[in-house]
Amino acid sequence: PVLMILVFGIIAFGIGFNQKLVVTRAAREAARTMAITDSASASTSAAYNAAPSLDSSSMTVVLTACGPTPDLDDVATASISYPYDYEIPMVGSFSVTLSSQAVMHCGG
């Protein structure tokens, strides 16, 4: 039983780590799109498209725009958080919030 719990725990951690990488990729794509287009709707859509395995209705996307006349020092940011439930058979489940933030210079 202990070995089975350990194996299931490793599998659950691997799946959770994969989901964390998906959230990170979505944040990077949203920040890149915001830096180039300065459009919140396009950036949110880019985040959703970069994370097809996640439920977009549960994903929280917070964006910071470059503005109408960005300087060289201005940056666009995207912060994404996503609730994730670890489920380990014979142990139970617990929830964590996976989050990531990306920063890109304005204008590409």
Side-chain angles (χ1 to χ4, degrees):
V2 175
L3 180 61
M4 292 302 290
I5 291 172
L6 183 64
V7 168
F8 287 135
I10 291 171
I11 292 170
F13 176 79
I15 293 170
F17 187 71
N18 183 345
Q19 297 301 314
K20 169 66 174 166
L21 293 176
V22 170
V23 169
T24 301
R25 178 173 181 243
R28 187 172 44 247
E29 288 298 317
R32 184 185 67 79
T33 304
M34 181 59 87
I36 294 171
T37 65
D38 205 33
S39 168
S41 62
S43 298
T44 303
S45 178
Y48 293 157
N49 291 336
S53 62
L54 302 181
D55 179 17
S56 60
S57 64
S58 298
M59 192 183 313
T60 303
V61 180
V62 178
L63 303 166
T64 303
C66 293
T69 56
D71 292 333
L72 293 175
D73 296 333
D74 290 343
V75 293
T77 62
S79 298
I80 296 181
S81 59
Y82 184 77
Y84 181 72
D85 295 325
Y86 282 99
E87 296 179 15
I88 303 172
M90 297 184 283
V91 175
S93 64
F94 58 96
S95 298
V96 296
T97 300
L98 305 175
S99 62
S100 183
Q101 181 178 9
V103 179
M104 297 278 179
H105 283 282
C106 295

